[in-house]
Amino acid sequence: GTGAAGTGAARPARPARPARLQGAPSSPPVFGVFGTRTLSPGGPRRTLARATNAEAKGDDAFGIGKLLKSVQGALPVVGLVSRLTAPEGGVGNDECAYPEYCRQVYEASPEGFQEAVGDLQNKYGKSAQRKYVLLCLWMVKQGSGLVRDSLVVDSARRVRVSQDVEFEMERFLNEYEEGMGKYEYIKDRPTRALEEQAEVAVDAMARLILPIQDGDAIAAEDCGLIEDLVTGGMLGYPAEWRACVRAAIETRGERGERYAKAKR
C-alpha cells in the first residue's frame, strides 16, 4: 500500500517506560521513614507530620523544605502551622519546629540527658527512644497555654504502643491551631507556670516510658533518670527548672485524677 499507514516500513517501537515510572502519581512523593507516599488532597497535616518525623530522624534524603512550601497553601492556618513544621524553626525564638527542636537537643543537651535516654531505653525498651521523648517534651513546650495537658499525656500513652508519630502530631496541630486562633499575635498567647509545665512533662514521660498509670509514684531508681531526661530535654529553661522537675516527680501521686477529669 501507499501512505504513512501502508509504506511497509515499520515505525520504530517506542522504548518502554522504566517500570518505576509506570503509573506514577502526579503529586510529589514524600521520602521518609514511612516509605514513599504521595500528597493527598485531604491530608496535608499527615504529610507534614510524616516529613517532620523523617527530618527529625535524619532519614529524609532530600530534606523537607521544598515539600513544606509545596503544601503550605493547603493548610487552613498557614502562618501558624508553618512555624511548627518548617525545618528552619519558624520565626525567631517564638516558635520552634519539631525537627529543629530535635536538632537543638541533639547538639546542646547535657550529657545527663543522653545517658538517661540510654539507660531508660535499655531498661524499658524502644518507647524511650529520643524521637518519642522529644516529641512529648516538644508538645509540652510548644503547647503550653494552648493545648490541654491531657492531650499531651494521652499522646505519650498512645505513642508508647503505636509509635505513630504522625497521628499524634496531627492531633496536636489541630488543637494548637484552635488555641492560636484566639490570639492575633504570638506574644499574646498565654503562658504556664514552670511548675505546671514540669508536672505535665514528668507525667508524659512516666506514661511514655514507665510501666505505671496516672497517679502512680515513680520508682526511686527511676526518679533521677526522669529528672535528667526532662531537665535536659527542655532547652531554654531557667536554672530553677530542675527544681520544678524534681518537685513534680515527688508529687506525682497527687495527680491521679487530673487527666481523667480534663478529657473532653
Side-chain angles (χ1 to χ4, degrees):
T2 60
T7 59
R11 292 183 179 179
R14 293 183 179 180
R17 299 176 69 186
R20 65 184 180 85
L21 294 180
Q22 292 178 356
S26 58
S27 53
V30 179
F31 299 90
V33 296
F34 291 92
T36 302
R37 307 287 182 84
T38 58
L39 303 185
S40 61
R45 283 195 194 84
R46 294 190 69 80
T47 301
L48 283 170
R50 184 180 301 114
T52 54
N53 185 46
E55 176 74 4
K57 197 176 180 181
D59 207 7
D60 186 2
F62 298 94
I64 63 173
K66 291 183 180 180
L67 169 66
L68 292 173
K69 290 180 181 178
S70 72
V71 298
Q72 278 179 349
L75 297 172
V77 188
V78 175
L80 301 180
V81 179
S82 63
R83 293 189 185 99
L84 293 184
T85 53
E88 63 271 16
V91 180
N93 295 322
D94 294 320
E95 306 295 325
C96 185
Y98 171 53
E100 175 61 21
Y101 187 71
C102 290
R103 284 195 289 268
Q104 290 177 7
V105 174
Y106 294 164
E107 295 173 0
S109 61
E111 185 176 346
F113 171 81
Q114 306 295 351
E115 292 179 350
V117 169
D119 290 346
L120 288 167
Q121 191 169 339
N122 288 336
K123 188 173 182 180
Y124 294 112
K126 61 184 178 181
S127 63
Q129 290 180 11
R130 287 187 300 181
K131 63 179 178 179
Y132 304 132
V133 167
L134 292 179
L135 173 69
C136 296
L137 294 181
W138 173 80
M139 286 182 175
V140 174
K141 181 182 176 73
Q142 194 62 52
S144 177
L146 296 171
V147 175
R148 289 169 295 133
D149 298 343
S150 59
L151 183 144
V152 177
V153 175
D154 283 347
S155 290
R157 174 181 54 80
R158 279 191 304 268
V159 83
R160 170 188 175 93
V161 177
S162 69
Q163 291 88 51
D164 192 347
V165 171
E166 60 179 303
F167 175 75
E168 301 307 334
M169 181 79 81
E170 182 176 6
R171 291 182 75 251
F172 176 86
L173 290 176
N174 282 336
E175 189 155 317
Y176 175 88
E177 287 178 31
E178 181 181 343
M180 279 299 291
K182 302 174 183 177
Y183 306 97
E184 184 174 1
Y185 300 105
I186 297 174
K187 63 181 178 62
D188 296 331
R189 62 178 287 177
T191 57
R192 299 287 299 279
L194 288 179
E195 294 81 3
E196 294 174 330
Q197 293 184 57
E199 290 174 355
V200 180
V202 166
D203 293 342
M205 291 300 95
R207 292 311 309 270
L208 172 67
I209 301 171
L210 307 179
I212 59 178
Q213 301 298 315
D214 290 336
D216 291 347
I218 296 174
E221 61 268 23
D222 292 329
C223 287
L225 295 174
I226 295 297
E227 180 181 325
D228 287 343
L229 195 70
V230 176
T231 302
M234 300 281 279
L235 298 181
Y237 279 62
E240 59 266 28
W241 174 243
R242 179 175 288 275
C244 294
V245 173
R246 187 177 298 122
I249 292 172
E250 294 173 352
T251 60
R252 186 169 190 275
E254 303 172 7
R255 298 191 294 276
E257 299 299 321
R258 172 182 295 184
Y259 305 107
K261 293 178 179 179
K263 291 179 181 179
R264 69 184 185 192

